Amino acid sequence: MIGALSSHWISDRLGRRWSFRIAAVVFIFGTVIQSGAAGYASLMFGRVFVGLGVGFGLAVDPVYISEISQAAHRGQLVTWSEIATNIGIVLGFLSGLVFSGVDENLAWRLMFSLGAILPCFVIYFATFVMPESPRWLVAKNRNREAREVLKMIYPDGYDVDVIVTEIKDTIEKESIAEHAVGWDIILFPSPAFKRMLMVGVGTAIAQQAVGIDAIQYFLVYILSQSGIESRNAQMLILVVLGLIKLGVIVIAGQLFDRKGRRPLIFVSLLGCAVSLFIVSMSFIGGASSEATAIFGLAMYLAFFSIGMGPGAWLIPSEVFSTMIRAKAMSVATFMNRVTATIMSSTFLSVATAMSWAGFFIMMAIVCIIILAWMYVYLPETKGRPLEDMSQYFAEITGDRSILEAEETLYRRDEPSESQAPEPVAEPKRQQPKRNVAPERPPPEDAHVLGTMA
């Protein structure tokens, strides 16, 4: 949680690539301490650093991807973050199967040690492969580097100077808003910003409120309670469930940009509710309880992955205005981890107090409540450039204050723009011709222009 809250400060000052390196190093440090822990205190000490790295990475990852993505492909690309997370989950389940025959006192240390491998790849890719965010480069007046990155992202021959100009304009507005209100814009938001925060932060909370982390943490315990006692059978079932979840997320990445955000989120929540109800039936008795539990859990993980899994990071990464994106993403990630902590720490106690059947029925009801909330408040953002979110939410809420602020900024910019020298002198009769150049592309090019801001 602390890592999520501090992520915007380091990300904005050191850059997105350095943020990934720091998150990976902190995670590796915590993993090494955990794998060599001599007792509970040292194990928890290492867990603190692992949590810092995870929270930091979760907050920076979707922001970085959204800033280097075109709007038409942003849904698919941002879901890669969730795909990577689930690859890690599958590898964790596989390690449980591989070490199932190893002494338990050694197996968990080996599993923790393996956790340090992938962060090493993150450090390598962040250093030698991944480009820096063009928006961050422009913010640091490194325009030449930003142009080079944009040329790698956009089609050959596209005028990337147009995008750099758009980013500069957006950063200037963001800077003015930052100095004017700071955190007040989040703590005391106008109607448009309030709706953004409700959608973005609310979606991040909802992802954990449906119980995904708690259920994944205690899958072995749930399978045991349903009657599956064999350790090898449990590990094999976990691997199969993990592969199902991973495969559905890959499909979801394609569908978000085709079908939109709202339909997939609605299908996901409704499917989760039905699946949890099926799981609850496995604890009411009957000879088929084991098969029912496995089937219900498989359905739950599949429906979660088609919408709420990747969507909970895609939606916050794109709905926040550039004025509040870094801070709001930190808040969204923080609340996501708070909810995950509450759900995970109370899971067994509540299930024992209510009975397992009652607990899963309660979670199914929670999914239905979240579905109703999403239906009312979640707007469709498919294909919309990031810098258009302020105007989009202003139109939804009828909040003219944010639009008036932008108009004031544009009027403030007009004198400087009119006095700026043209790089190539042109007769005035050619001015109309310049105005039709792709300085602000038509709507059909909206998937190209301005998505970096």
Side-chain angles (χ1 to χ4, degrees):
M1 293 184 286
I2 296 174
L5 280 181
S6 62
S7 63
H8 81 276
W9 186 88
I10 297 177
S11 177
D12 287 346
R13 281 159 180 75
L14 301 181
R16 311 320 188 208
R17 294 203 303 170
W18 264 109
S19 298
F20 285 120
R21 295 183 195 125
I22 292 173
V25 169
V26 171
F27 187 92
I28 292 172
F29 181 70
T31 300
V32 171
I33 293 176
Q34 284 187 306
S35 61
Y40 181 77
S42 55
L43 184 66
M44 290 299 100
F45 181 70
R47 182 66 182 86
V48 168
F49 287 96
V50 170
L52 284 172
V54 170
F56 202 101
L58 284 175
V60 175
D61 194 24
V63 171
Y64 172 78
I65 297 175
S66 67
E67 289 181 345
I68 65 168
S69 304
Q70 300 177 15
H73 308 292
R74 191 169 59 234
Q76 178 182 356
L77 293 176
V78 173
T79 57
W80 284 9
S81 173
E82 185 72 9
I83 291 172
T85 300
N86 281 270
I87 290 175
I89 292 173
V90 172
L91 291 177
F93 290 159
L94 279 173
S95 68
L97 184 61
V98 170
F99 296 129
S100 61
V102 180
D103 180 72
E104 291 184 356
N105 293 323
L106 177 62
W108 67 268
R109 294 184 186 274
L110 294 175
M111 292 175 69
F112 278 135
S113 300
L114 291 177
I117 296 177
L118 287 180
C120 294
F121 285 97
V122 172
I123 295 174
Y124 173 81
F125 284 116
T127 304
F128 300 107
V129 179
M130 295 163 54
E132 183 55 84
S133 162
R135 185 182 184 279
W136 184 84
L137 291 171
V138 172
K140 300 300 179 182
N141 294 318
R142 295 162 61 176
N143 296 342
R144 183 183 61 81
E145 297 175 61
R147 291 187 184 93
E148 293 301 318
V149 174
L150 291 168
K151 287 177 182 177
M152 292 189 294
I153 298 172
Y154 288 89
D156 292 338
Y158 190 83
D159 187 4
V160 296
D161 289 334
V162 174
I163 303 176
V164 172
T165 301
E166 288 287 333
I167 295 174
K168 284 181 179 179
D169 291 343
T170 305
I171 290 175
E172 181 180 355
K173 291 187 289 183
E174 181 179 351
S175 178
I176 292 173
E178 171 72 18
H179 288 90
V181 293
W183 277 92
D184 287 350
I185 201 170
I186 290 180
L187 299 176
F188 308 101
S190 68
F193 285 121
K194 183 178 180 180
R195 181 68 173 271
M196 287 181 188
L197 292 168
M198 288 177 63
V199 172
V201 178
T203 303
I205 292 173
Q207 185 197 50
Q208 294 301 323
V210 299
I212 183 61
D213 273 14
I215 291 175
Q216 286 186 147
Y217 291 158
F218 294 101
L219 270 176
V220 172
Y221 192 86
I222 295 171
L223 293 174
S224 177
Q225 291 295 307
S226 68
I228 303 172
E229 299 291 346
S230 170
R231 185 179 177 188
N232 286 335
Q234 291 173 349
M235 294 300 106
L236 184 59
I237 291 170
L238 290 183
V239 172
V240 172
L241 292 177
L243 290 173
I244 291 173
K245 189 171 186 287
L246 177 61
V248 175
I249 289 176
V250 174
I251 296 173
Q254 304 289 331
L255 294 178
F256 267 113
D257 288 323
R258 296 179 185 176
K259 304 298 182 182
R261 284 51 165 160
R262 280 172 60 90
L264 291 182
I265 291 293
F266 297 160
V267 169
S268 177
L269 287 167
L270 183 60
C272 285
V274 174
S275 303
L276 289 170
F277 182 76
I278 292 174
V279 174
S280 72
M281 295 297 101
S282 68
F283 291 96
I284 298 179
S288 61
S289 61
E290 296 177 10
T292 303
I294 296 172
F295 177 71
L297 289 171
M299 281 187 59
Y300 170 77
L301 294 175
F303 276 111
F304 175 85
S305 301
I306 200 69
M308 287 302 295
W313 297 116
L314 169 62
I315 292 170
S317 72
E318 62 185 5
V319 299
F320 295 131
S321 163
T322 53
M323 296 182 182
I324 62 171
R325 185 173 301 135
K327 290 185 177 66
M329 274 302 299
S330 296
V331 173
T333 307
F334 173 79
M335 294 305 300
N336 177 275
R337 302 326 300 164
V338 167
T339 309
T341 300
I342 294 173
M343 295 296 296
S344 301
S345 60
T346 60
F347 182 83
L348 289 179
S349 301
V350 175
T352 301
M354 295 183 62
S355 80
W356 285 97
F359 175 79
F360 283 112
I361 290 175
M362 180 192 73
M363 293 306 302
I365 295 173
V366 169
C367 290
I368 296 298
I369 293 173
I370 294 174
L371 172 60
W373 186 88
M374 288 285 194
Y375 183 82
V376 174
Y377 290 105
L378 178 65
E380 182 56 72
T381 55
K382 181 185 72 171
R384 288 187 174 271
L386 296 182
E387 77 278 2
D388 283 357
M389 291 301 168
S390 295
Q391 181 171 354
Y392 183 40
F393 277 84
E395 293 171 354
I396 292 173
T397 60
D399 178 15
R400 295 291 305 176
S401 61
I402 185 174
L403 299 181
E404 291 168 358
E406 291 185 350
E407 290 171 2
T408 301
L409 289 173
Y410 282 133
R411 286 197 299 269
R412 185 180 303 176
D413 288 342
E414 284 175 1
S416 60
E417 291 177 357
S418 62
Q419 294 169 10
E422 293 289 337
V424 179
E426 295 185 39
K428 285 190 175 181
R429 65 177 179 272
Q430 294 183 357
Q431 284 298 98
K433 188 175 182 179
R434 281 179 57 85
N435 290 338
V436 297
E439 189 169 303
R440 289 186 179 275
E444 61 267 26
D445 291 339
H447 69 287
V448 175
L449 176 60
T451 59
M452 312 307 305

PDB file of all heavy atoms in Angstrom, residues 75-76 79-80 83 243-259 264 302 305-307 310:
ATOM      1  N   GLY A  75      -6.760  -0.926 -24.877  1.00  0.00           N
ATOM      2  CA  GLY A  75      -7.400  -1.976 -24.087  1.00  0.00           C
ATOM      3  C   GLY A  75      -6.595  -3.262 -24.105  1.00  0.00           C
ATOM      4  O   GLY A  75      -6.363  -3.874 -23.069  1.00  0.00           O
ATOM      5  N   GLN A  76      -6.146  -3.659 -25.306  1.00  0.00           N
ATOM      6  CA  GLN A  76      -5.378  -4.901 -25.415  1.00  0.00           C
ATOM      7  C   GLN A  76      -4.034  -4.780 -24.719  1.00  0.00           C
ATOM      8  O   GLN A  76      -3.593  -5.686 -24.006  1.00  0.00           O
ATOM      9  CB  GLN A  76      -5.156  -5.245 -26.892  1.00  0.00           C
ATOM     10  CG  GLN A  76      -4.323  -6.500 -27.100  1.00  0.00           C
ATOM     11  CD  GLN A  76      -4.089  -6.790 -28.576  1.00  0.00           C
ATOM     12  OE1 GLN A  76      -4.614  -6.095 -29.443  1.00  0.00           O
ATOM     13  NE2 GLN A  76      -3.301  -7.805 -28.858  1.00  0.00           N
ATOM     14  N   THR A  79      -4.081  -4.711 -20.838  1.00  0.00           N
ATOM     15  CA  THR A  79      -4.376  -6.025 -20.264  1.00  0.00           C
ATOM     16  C   THR A  79      -3.142  -6.916 -20.221  1.00  0.00           C
ATOM     17  O   THR A  79      -3.145  -7.931 -19.521  1.00  0.00           O
ATOM     18  CB  THR A  79      -5.477  -6.750 -21.059  1.00  0.00           C
ATOM     19  OG1 THR A  79      -5.070  -6.879 -22.431  1.00  0.00           O
ATOM     20  CG2 THR A  79      -6.785  -5.994 -20.987  1.00  0.00           C
ATOM     21  N   TRP A  80      -2.087  -6.550 -20.941  1.00  0.00           N
ATOM     22  CA  TRP A  80      -0.850  -7.322 -20.851  1.00  0.00           C
ATOM     23  C   TRP A  80      -0.314  -7.325 -19.426  1.00  0.00           C
ATOM     24  O   TRP A  80       0.356  -8.283 -19.014  1.00  0.00           O
ATOM     25  CB  TRP A  80       0.198  -6.749 -21.806  1.00  0.00           C
ATOM     26  CG  TRP A  80      -0.038  -7.099 -23.245  1.00  0.00           C
ATOM     27  CD1 TRP A  80      -1.158  -7.701 -23.766  1.00  0.00           C
ATOM     28  CD2 TRP A  80       0.846  -6.858 -24.342  1.00  0.00           C
ATOM     29  NE1 TRP A  80      -1.029  -7.839 -25.130  1.00  0.00           N
ATOM     30  CE2 TRP A  80       0.184  -7.336 -25.522  1.00  0.00           C
ATOM     31  CE3 TRP A  80       2.094  -6.279 -24.474  1.00  0.00           C
ATOM     32  CZ2 TRP A  80       0.770  -7.249 -26.775  1.00  0.00           C
ATOM     33  CZ3 TRP A  80       2.672  -6.199 -25.724  1.00  0.00           C
ATOM     34  CH2 TRP A  80       2.022  -6.677 -26.855  1.00  0.00           C
ATOM     35  N   ILE A  83      -2.052 -10.056 -17.827  1.00  0.00           N
ATOM     36  CA  ILE A  83      -1.547 -11.316 -18.380  1.00  0.00           C
ATOM     37  C   ILE A  83      -0.237 -11.695 -17.709  1.00  0.00           C
ATOM     38  O   ILE A  83      -0.021 -12.855 -17.312  1.00  0.00           O
ATOM     39  CB  ILE A  83      -1.358 -11.202 -19.906  1.00  0.00           C
ATOM     40  CG1 ILE A  83      -2.721 -11.106 -20.610  1.00  0.00           C
ATOM     41  CG2 ILE A  83      -0.572 -12.387 -20.453  1.00  0.00           C
ATOM     42  CD1 ILE A  83      -2.627 -10.807 -22.089  1.00  0.00           C
ATOM     43  N   LEU A 243      -4.158 -21.940 -15.692  1.00  0.00           N
ATOM     44  CA  LEU A 243      -4.088 -21.891 -17.150  1.00  0.00           C
ATOM     45  C   LEU A 243      -5.410 -21.414 -17.752  1.00  0.00           C
ATOM     46  O   LEU A 243      -5.422 -20.675 -18.748  1.00  0.00           O
ATOM     47  CB  LEU A 243      -3.721 -23.271 -17.698  1.00  0.00           C
ATOM     48  CG  LEU A 243      -2.278 -23.726 -17.429  1.00  0.00           C
ATOM     49  CD1 LEU A 243      -2.086 -25.169 -17.871  1.00  0.00           C
ATOM     50  CD2 LEU A 243      -1.285 -22.813 -18.144  1.00  0.00           C
ATOM     51  N   ILE A 244      -6.530 -21.833 -17.171  1.00  0.00           N
ATOM     52  CA  ILE A 244      -7.837 -21.354 -17.632  1.00  0.00           C
ATOM     53  C   ILE A 244      -7.934 -19.841 -17.468  1.00  0.00           C
ATOM     54  O   ILE A 244      -8.338 -19.121 -18.389  1.00  0.00           O
ATOM     55  CB  ILE A 244      -8.971 -22.050 -16.859  1.00  0.00           C
ATOM     56  CG1 ILE A 244      -9.048 -23.533 -17.235  1.00  0.00           C
ATOM     57  CG2 ILE A 244     -10.321 -21.369 -17.130  1.00  0.00           C
ATOM     58  CD1 ILE A 244     -10.027 -24.329 -16.389  1.00  0.00           C
ATOM     59  N   LYS A 245      -7.533 -19.362 -16.310  1.00  0.00           N
ATOM     60  CA  LYS A 245      -7.584 -17.929 -16.024  1.00  0.00           C
ATOM     61  C   LYS A 245      -6.694 -17.147 -16.984  1.00  0.00           C
ATOM     62  O   LYS A 245      -7.091 -16.100 -17.524  1.00  0.00           O
ATOM     63  CB  LYS A 245      -7.143 -17.676 -14.578  1.00  0.00           C
ATOM     64  CG  LYS A 245      -7.344 -16.261 -14.072  1.00  0.00           C
ATOM     65  CD  LYS A 245      -7.087 -16.221 -12.574  1.00  0.00           C
ATOM     66  CE  LYS A 245      -7.418 -14.843 -11.997  1.00  0.00           C
ATOM     67  NZ  LYS A 245      -6.424 -13.831 -12.368  1.00  0.00           N
ATOM     68  N   LEU A 246      -5.488 -17.655 -17.241  1.00  0.00           N
ATOM     69  CA  LEU A 246      -4.556 -16.986 -18.150  1.00  0.00           C
ATOM     70  C   LEU A 246      -5.094 -16.961 -19.574  1.00  0.00           C
ATOM     71  O   LEU A 246      -5.037 -15.923 -20.256  1.00  0.00           O
ATOM     72  CB  LEU A 246      -3.205 -17.704 -18.098  1.00  0.00           C
ATOM     73  CG  LEU A 246      -2.123 -17.184 -19.047  1.00  0.00           C
ATOM     74  CD1 LEU A 246      -1.798 -15.729 -18.750  1.00  0.00           C
ATOM     75  CD2 LEU A 246      -0.863 -18.046 -18.943  1.00  0.00           C
ATOM     76  N   GLY A 247      -5.632 -18.081 -20.039  1.00  0.00           N
ATOM     77  CA  GLY A 247      -6.157 -18.139 -21.404  1.00  0.00           C
ATOM     78  C   GLY A 247      -7.307 -17.179 -21.630  1.00  0.00           C
ATOM     79  O   GLY A 247      -7.383 -16.516 -22.679  1.00  0.00           O
ATOM     80  N   VAL A 248      -8.192 -17.050 -20.646  1.00  0.00           N
ATOM     81  CA  VAL A 248      -9.336 -16.145 -20.794  1.00  0.00           C
ATOM     82  C   VAL A 248      -8.884 -14.691 -20.805  1.00  0.00           C
ATOM     83  O   VAL A 248      -9.446 -13.863 -21.538  1.00  0.00           O
ATOM     84  CB  VAL A 248     -10.357 -16.392 -19.665  1.00  0.00           C
ATOM     85  CG1 VAL A 248     -11.491 -15.375 -19.739  1.00  0.00           C
ATOM     86  CG2 VAL A 248     -10.928 -17.798 -19.763  1.00  0.00           C
ATOM     87  N   ILE A 249      -7.856 -14.352 -20.033  1.00  0.00           N
ATOM     88  CA  ILE A 249      -7.351 -12.973 -20.023  1.00  0.00           C
ATOM     89  C   ILE A 249      -6.792 -12.591 -21.393  1.00  0.00           C
ATOM     90  O   ILE A 249      -6.980 -11.457 -21.863  1.00  0.00           O
ATOM     91  CB  ILE A 249      -6.278 -12.803 -18.930  1.00  0.00           C
ATOM     92  CG1 ILE A 249      -6.929 -12.838 -17.552  1.00  0.00           C
ATOM     93  CG2 ILE A 249      -5.532 -11.482 -19.095  1.00  0.00           C
ATOM     94  CD1 ILE A 249      -5.953 -12.765 -16.414  1.00  0.00           C
ATOM     95  N   VAL A 250      -6.104 -13.518 -22.041  1.00  0.00           N
ATOM     96  CA  VAL A 250      -5.583 -13.240 -23.383  1.00  0.00           C
ATOM     97  C   VAL A 250      -6.733 -12.929 -24.343  1.00  0.00           C
ATOM     98  O   VAL A 250      -6.659 -11.999 -25.154  1.00  0.00           O
ATOM     99  CB  VAL A 250      -4.758 -14.438 -23.890  1.00  0.00           C
ATOM    100  CG1 VAL A 250      -4.343 -14.222 -25.346  1.00  0.00           C
ATOM    101  CG2 VAL A 250      -3.529 -14.647 -23.016  1.00  0.00           C
ATOM    102  N   ILE A 251      -7.812 -13.689 -24.235  1.00  0.00           N
ATOM    103  CA  ILE A 251      -8.999 -13.438 -25.075  1.00  0.00           C
ATOM    104  C   ILE A 251      -9.608 -12.085 -24.728  1.00  0.00           C
ATOM    105  O   ILE A 251     -10.007 -11.322 -25.616  1.00  0.00           O
ATOM    106  CB  ILE A 251     -10.028 -14.565 -24.883  1.00  0.00           C
ATOM    107  CG1 ILE A 251      -9.452 -15.902 -25.362  1.00  0.00           C
ATOM    108  CG2 ILE A 251     -11.325 -14.240 -25.618  1.00  0.00           C
ATOM    109  CD1 ILE A 251     -10.334 -17.098 -25.050  1.00  0.00           C
ATOM    110  N   ALA A 252      -9.675 -11.772 -23.439  1.00  0.00           N
ATOM    111  CA  ALA A 252     -10.255 -10.494 -22.999  1.00  0.00           C
ATOM    112  C   ALA A 252      -9.498  -9.313 -23.571  1.00  0.00           C
ATOM    113  O   ALA A 252     -10.093  -8.285 -23.923  1.00  0.00           O
ATOM    114  CB  ALA A 252     -10.271 -10.432 -21.477  1.00  0.00           C
ATOM    115  N   GLY A 253      -8.172  -9.443 -23.678  1.00  0.00           N
ATOM    116  CA  GLY A 253      -7.382  -8.346 -24.239  1.00  0.00           C
ATOM    117  C   GLY A 253      -7.815  -7.981 -25.646  1.00  0.00           C
ATOM    118  O   GLY A 253      -7.780  -6.805 -26.037  1.00  0.00           O
ATOM    119  N   GLN A 254      -8.228  -8.989 -26.421  1.00  0.00           N
ATOM    120  CA  GLN A 254      -8.723  -8.728 -27.773  1.00  0.00           C
ATOM    121  C   GLN A 254     -10.128  -8.121 -27.751  1.00  0.00           C
ATOM    122  O   GLN A 254     -10.449  -7.265 -28.581  1.00  0.00           O
ATOM    123  CB  GLN A 254      -8.742 -10.047 -28.570  1.00  0.00           C
ATOM    124  CG  GLN A 254      -7.412 -10.774 -28.632  1.00  0.00           C
ATOM    125  CD  GLN A 254      -6.391 -10.074 -29.490  1.00  0.00           C
ATOM    126  OE1 GLN A 254      -6.762  -9.384 -30.444  1.00  0.00           O
ATOM    127  NE2 GLN A 254      -5.114 -10.242 -29.175  1.00  0.00           N
ATOM    128  N   LEU A 255     -10.942  -8.552 -26.807  1.00  0.00           N
ATOM    129  CA  LEU A 255     -12.349  -8.141 -26.803  1.00  0.00           C
ATOM    130  C   LEU A 255     -12.567  -6.739 -26.275  1.00  0.00           C
ATOM    131  O   LEU A 255     -13.537  -6.072 -26.663  1.00  0.00           O
ATOM    132  CB  LEU A 255     -13.166  -9.138 -25.966  1.00  0.00           C
ATOM    133  CG  LEU A 255     -13.267 -10.561 -26.520  1.00  0.00           C
ATOM    134  CD1 LEU A 255     -14.061 -11.440 -25.564  1.00  0.00           C
ATOM    135  CD2 LEU A 255     -13.917 -10.554 -27.902  1.00  0.00           C
ATOM    136  N   PHE A 256     -11.710  -6.258 -25.373  1.00  0.00           N
ATOM    137  CA  PHE A 256     -11.922  -4.933 -24.790  1.00  0.00           C
ATOM    138  C   PHE A 256     -11.947  -3.840 -25.854  1.00  0.00           C
ATOM    139  O   PHE A 256     -12.699  -2.873 -25.742  1.00  0.00           O
ATOM    140  CB  PHE A 256     -10.838  -4.622 -23.757  1.00  0.00           C
ATOM    141  CG  PHE A 256     -11.220  -5.001 -22.356  1.00  0.00           C
ATOM    142  CD1 PHE A 256     -10.556  -6.012 -21.699  1.00  0.00           C
ATOM    143  CD2 PHE A 256     -12.238  -4.351 -21.688  1.00  0.00           C
ATOM    144  CE1 PHE A 256     -10.901  -6.379 -20.407  1.00  0.00           C
ATOM    145  CE2 PHE A 256     -12.599  -4.697 -20.401  1.00  0.00           C
ATOM    146  CZ  PHE A 256     -11.929  -5.716 -19.758  1.00  0.00           C
ATOM    147  N   ASP A 257     -11.106  -3.957 -26.880  1.00  0.00           N
ATOM    148  CA  ASP A 257     -11.063  -2.941 -27.926  1.00  0.00           C
ATOM    149  C   ASP A 257     -12.115  -3.171 -29.007  1.00  0.00           C
ATOM    150  O   ASP A 257     -12.339  -2.311 -29.846  1.00  0.00           O
ATOM    151  CB  ASP A 257      -9.670  -2.899 -28.567  1.00  0.00           C
ATOM    152  CG  ASP A 257      -8.628  -2.288 -27.638  1.00  0.00           C
ATOM    153  OD1 ASP A 257      -8.971  -1.338 -26.919  1.00  0.00           O
ATOM    154  OD2 ASP A 257      -7.483  -2.779 -27.624  1.00  0.00           O
ATOM    155  N   ARG A 258     -12.756  -4.338 -28.996  1.00  0.00           N
ATOM    156  CA  ARG A 258     -13.799  -4.610 -29.984  1.00  0.00           C
ATOM    157  C   ARG A 258     -15.197  -4.389 -29.408  1.00  0.00           C
ATOM    158  O   ARG A 258     -16.037  -3.748 -30.037  1.00  0.00           O
ATOM    159  CB  ARG A 258     -13.678  -6.054 -30.482  1.00  0.00           C
ATOM    160  CG  ARG A 258     -12.389  -6.361 -31.223  1.00  0.00           C
ATOM    161  CD  ARG A 258     -12.358  -7.823 -31.655  1.00  0.00           C
ATOM    162  NE  ARG A 258     -11.093  -8.189 -32.278  1.00  0.00           N
ATOM    163  CZ  ARG A 258     -10.785  -9.414 -32.670  1.00  0.00           C
ATOM    164  NH1 ARG A 258     -11.662 -10.404 -32.512  1.00  0.00           N
ATOM    165  NH2 ARG A 258      -9.612  -9.669 -33.214  1.00  0.00           N
ATOM    166  N   LYS A 259     -15.442  -4.946 -28.234  1.00  0.00           N
ATOM    167  CA  LYS A 259     -16.768  -4.894 -27.643  1.00  0.00           C
ATOM    168  C   LYS A 259     -16.961  -3.736 -26.675  1.00  0.00           C
ATOM    169  O   LYS A 259     -18.099  -3.365 -26.375  1.00  0.00           O
ATOM    170  CB  LYS A 259     -17.063  -6.211 -26.906  1.00  0.00           C
ATOM    171  CG  LYS A 259     -16.936  -7.460 -27.775  1.00  0.00           C
ATOM    172  CD  LYS A 259     -17.932  -7.432 -28.923  1.00  0.00           C
ATOM    173  CE  LYS A 259     -17.831  -8.718 -29.744  1.00  0.00           C
ATOM    174  NZ  LYS A 259     -18.768  -8.707 -30.896  1.00  0.00           N
ATOM    175  N   LEU A 264     -18.103  -6.212 -21.192  1.00  0.00           N
ATOM    176  CA  LEU A 264     -17.259  -7.247 -20.598  1.00  0.00           C
ATOM    177  C   LEU A 264     -17.294  -7.200 -19.082  1.00  0.00           C
ATOM    178  O   LEU A 264     -17.282  -8.236 -18.409  1.00  0.00           O
ATOM    179  CB  LEU A 264     -15.824  -7.107 -21.103  1.00  0.00           C
ATOM    180  CG  LEU A 264     -15.604  -7.441 -22.583  1.00  0.00           C
ATOM    181  CD1 LEU A 264     -14.129  -7.317 -22.949  1.00  0.00           C
ATOM    182  CD2 LEU A 264     -16.099  -8.843 -22.907  1.00  0.00           C
ATOM    183  N   ALA A 302     -12.559 -17.847 -14.720  1.00  0.00           N
ATOM    184  CA  ALA A 302     -12.727 -17.507 -16.135  1.00  0.00           C
ATOM    185  C   ALA A 302     -13.537 -16.217 -16.289  1.00  0.00           C
ATOM    186  O   ALA A 302     -13.143 -15.304 -17.038  1.00  0.00           O
ATOM    187  CB  ALA A 302     -13.400 -18.652 -16.877  1.00  0.00           C
ATOM    188  N   SER A 305     -11.643 -13.164 -15.199  1.00  0.00           N
ATOM    189  CA  SER A 305     -10.575 -12.791 -16.121  1.00  0.00           C
ATOM    190  C   SER A 305     -11.085 -12.164 -17.406  1.00  0.00           C
ATOM    191  O   SER A 305     -10.333 -11.482 -18.097  1.00  0.00           O
ATOM    192  CB  SER A 305      -9.727 -14.024 -16.452  1.00  0.00           C
ATOM    193  OG  SER A 305      -9.162 -14.569 -15.280  1.00  0.00           O
ATOM    194  N   ILE A 306     -12.333 -12.386 -17.748  1.00  0.00           N
ATOM    195  CA  ILE A 306     -12.864 -11.806 -18.985  1.00  0.00           C
ATOM    196  C   ILE A 306     -13.173 -10.325 -18.832  1.00  0.00           C
ATOM    197  O   ILE A 306     -13.292  -9.599 -19.822  1.00  0.00           O
ATOM    198  CB  ILE A 306     -14.146 -12.558 -19.436  1.00  0.00           C
ATOM    199  CG1 ILE A 306     -14.412 -12.311 -20.931  1.00  0.00           C
ATOM    200  CG2 ILE A 306     -15.353 -12.131 -18.630  1.00  0.00           C
ATOM    201  CD1 ILE A 306     -13.415 -12.951 -21.835  1.00  0.00           C
ATOM    202  N   GLY A 307     -13.287  -9.835 -17.597  1.00  0.00           N
ATOM    203  CA  GLY A 307     -13.636  -8.424 -17.413  1.00  0.00           C
ATOM    204  C   GLY A 307     -12.981  -7.767 -16.213  1.00  0.00           C
ATOM    205  O   GLY A 307     -12.151  -6.877 -16.346  1.00  0.00           O
ATOM    206  N   PRO A 310      -8.508  -7.792 -15.980  1.00  0.00           N
ATOM    207  CA  PRO A 310      -7.780  -6.749 -16.713  1.00  0.00           C
ATOM    208  C   PRO A 310      -8.489  -5.400 -16.693  1.00  0.00           C
ATOM    209  O   PRO A 310      -7.845  -4.354 -16.708  1.00  0.00           O
ATOM    210  CB  PRO A 310      -7.712  -7.313 -18.134  1.00  0.00           C
ATOM    211  CG  PRO A 310      -8.871  -8.250 -18.231  1.00  0.00           C
ATOM    212  CD  PRO A 310      -9.041  -8.834 -16.864  1.00  0.00           C
TER     213      PRO A 310
END
